[in-house]
C-alpha cells in the first residue's frame, strides 16, 4: 500500500539545499507544509520554476524565502486580527513577506486527511523554541474564492491549544506537535496558524495550502518532508523503501534527481 504523504515528500525533499541559518528566526509549519517552507526548500530560490513561488519572489523579493522561519509580528500579544489586515494573513501582515499572500489558485497543496475521530496532528518546526501562550489554527470556508485575497471573514477558528512539549522528530528537528480536531471540508483550503509566545509579545504565522478529501486516515501518519543530509547532485538516485512491522519489504520507489 502506498503512503500518499511520504512518497511526495521523498521526491520533493531529496534535492534539499542547505539554506543559511538566520539570527532571530524561529520556525514554521511543516505538517502540513507551509507555503513559505515549500517555496524555500522545493526549488531554487534564485531561479524558482514553480509559478506561485516565482511570483512570490517577484512580488516580495528572495530574502523572504531565505528567512523562511521568521514570518512574525514583534508586538502581537495575541492581537492577530488587529495587526494583520485582510488580504495579508499569509504574510503575517509583515511587508517583508508580502509575496506569500498573493491570491492565486496554483499554490501547491499537501493532502490533509484526519483520523476517524477527526483528529490531525499539526507539526511546527521550531528552529528557535520559545515559551508558548497558545496556538490558534484557522481553516478557510468552502465557498471562498481562491483568486481573492484571504481575509478574516474567509476563515474559521477550529483549534486553540496551549503549550505542547518540544520534541525531536525522526530527522533530528525540534518540533511542536499540535493535535486538533479538523472540521469537515473538501477540496482546496488554506490552514492559517498563529503561534503566540508567552515570554514575549512576539507571534509567528504560517499558511499551509491543503487538499481535503473529506475521508479519514486509516493509520498512516504524515511526517513532513524527507530531507537529505547534504546537497545531492543532479541525476542522483534516491530510493524510498517501506517495511512492515516484521521487517518485510513492502515497497521500493526510486526517484532520479533532476537539475534544478
Amino acid at each position: 500500500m502506498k503512503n500518499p504523504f511520504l512518497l511526495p515528500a521523498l521526491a520533493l525533499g531529496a534535492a534539499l539545499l542547505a539554506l543559511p541559518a538566520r539570527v532571530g528566526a524561529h520556525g514554521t509549519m511543516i505538517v502540513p507544509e507551509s507555503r513559505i517552507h515549500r517555496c524555500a526548500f522545493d526549488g531554487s530560490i534564485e531561479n524558482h520554476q514553480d509559478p506561485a513561488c516565482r511570483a512570490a519572489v517577484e512580488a516580495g523579493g528572495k530574502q523572504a524565502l531565505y528567512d523562511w522561519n521568521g514570518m512574525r509580528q514583534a508586538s502581537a500579544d495575541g492581537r492577530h486580527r488587529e495587526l494583520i489586515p485582510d488580504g495579508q494573513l499569509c504574510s503575517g501582515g509583515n511587508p517583508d513577506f508580502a509575496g506569500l499572500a498573493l491570491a492565486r489558485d496554483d499554490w501547491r497543496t499537501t493532502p490533509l486527511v484526519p483520523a476517524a475521530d477527526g483528529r490531525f496532528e499539526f507539526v511546527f518546526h521550531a528552529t528557535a523554541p520559545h515559551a508558548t501562550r497558545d496556538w490558534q489554527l484557522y481553516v478557510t470556508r468552502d465557498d471562498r474564492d481562491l483568486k481573492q485575497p484571504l481575509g478574516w471573514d474567509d476563515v474559521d477558528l477550529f483549534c486553540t491549544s496551549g503549550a505542547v512539549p518540544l520534541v525531536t522528530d525522526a530527522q533530528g528537528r525540534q518540533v511542536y506537535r499540535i493535535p486538533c480536531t479538523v472540521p469537515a471540508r473538501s477540496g482546496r483550503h488554506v490552514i492559517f496558524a498563529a503561534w503566540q509566545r508567552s515570554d514575549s509579545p512576539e507571534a509567528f504565522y504560517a499558511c499551509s495550502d491543503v487538499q481535503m478529501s473529506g475521508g479519514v486516515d486509516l493509520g498512516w501518519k504524515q511526517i513532513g518532508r524527507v530531507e537529505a543530509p547534504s546537497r545531492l547532485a543532479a541525476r542522483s538516485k534516491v530510493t524510498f523503501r517501506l517495511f512492515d512491522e516484521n521487517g518485510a519489504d513492502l515497497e521500493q520507489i526510486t526517484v532520479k534527481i533532476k537539475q534544478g
Side-chain angles (χ1 to χ4, degrees):
M1 177 180 179
K2 293 184 179 179
N3 183 339
F5 303 129
L6 292 180
L7 303 187
L10 173 73
L12 295 174
L16 173 68
L17 301 179
L19 298 181
R22 312 300 300 186
V23 175
H26 308 275
T28 193
M29 194 71 73
I30 56 174
V31 176
E33 188 173 25
S34 70
R35 186 175 291 181
I36 195 167
H37 191 273
R38 185 182 293 275
C39 287
F41 288 93
D42 184 14
S44 169
I45 294 176
E46 296 298 322
N47 184 28
H48 226 299
Q49 299 304 302
D50 177 86
C53 294
R54 186 170 61 248
V57 169
E58 291 172 353
K62 303 171 184 174
Q63 192 59 45
L65 302 190
Y66 286 113
D67 292 336
W68 58 270
N69 42 10
M71 187 183 293
R72 65 193 183 94
Q73 286 284 344
S75 58
D77 198 23
R79 298 176 298 126
H80 312 306
R81 286 180 177 264
E82 179 182 339
L83 293 180
I84 302 176
D86 283 335
Q88 299 181 30
L89 275 68
C90 290
S91 64
N94 187 326
D96 293 340
F97 298 90
L100 279 303
L102 293 178
R104 302 177 62 95
D105 61 0
D106 59 351
W107 292 104
R108 283 177 293 165
T109 60
T110 299
L112 193 161
V113 185
D117 62 358
R119 304 280 279 180
F120 184 87
E121 187 177 70
F122 294 84
V123 183
F124 191 97
H125 180 196
T127 56
H130 298 296
T132 298
R133 178 196 300 182
D134 60 44
W135 300 87
Q136 292 184 10
L137 278 74
Y138 299 77
V139 64
T140 48
R141 297 172 181 171
D142 279 329
D143 58 354
R144 186 181 76 89
D145 185 346
L146 296 172
K147 292 187 177 181
Q148 294 300 314
L150 181 63
W152 287 104
D153 287 342
D154 299 318
V155 297
D156 293 321
L157 177 65
F158 69 91
C159 182
T160 299
S161 172
V164 294
L166 182 70
V167 298
T168 302
D169 71 4
Q171 298 181 59
R173 300 171 297 198
Q174 290 187 304
V175 300
Y176 294 109
R177 299 185 180 278
I178 309 130
C180 294
T181 299
V182 180
R185 292 286 194 277
S186 61
R188 291 180 61 103
H189 283 277
V190 176
I191 302 293
F192 171 69
W195 173 31
Q196 178 60 60
R197 296 173 59 175
S198 64
D199 55 354
S200 163
E202 186 176 49
F204 297 87
Y205 305 97
C207 274
S208 300
D209 298 280
V210 299
Q211 185 73 30
M212 302 176 74
S213 66
V216 297
D217 180 6
L218 299 179
W220 295 105
K221 177 176 286 189
Q222 190 171 344
I223 66 170
R225 182 182 301 277
V226 178
E227 298 183 359
S230 60
R231 181 172 180 173
L232 300 177
R235 296 181 295 279
S236 295
K237 290 185 178 180
V238 178
T239 299
F240 168 76
R241 297 180 67 188
L242 180 65
F243 301 91
D244 65 15
E245 65 272 15
N246 299 314
D249 202 333
L250 294 176
E251 181 113 37
Q252 292 191 36
I253 296 178
T254 299
V255 177
K256 186 174 182 180
I257 305 302
K258 298 179 180 180
Q259 184 73 41

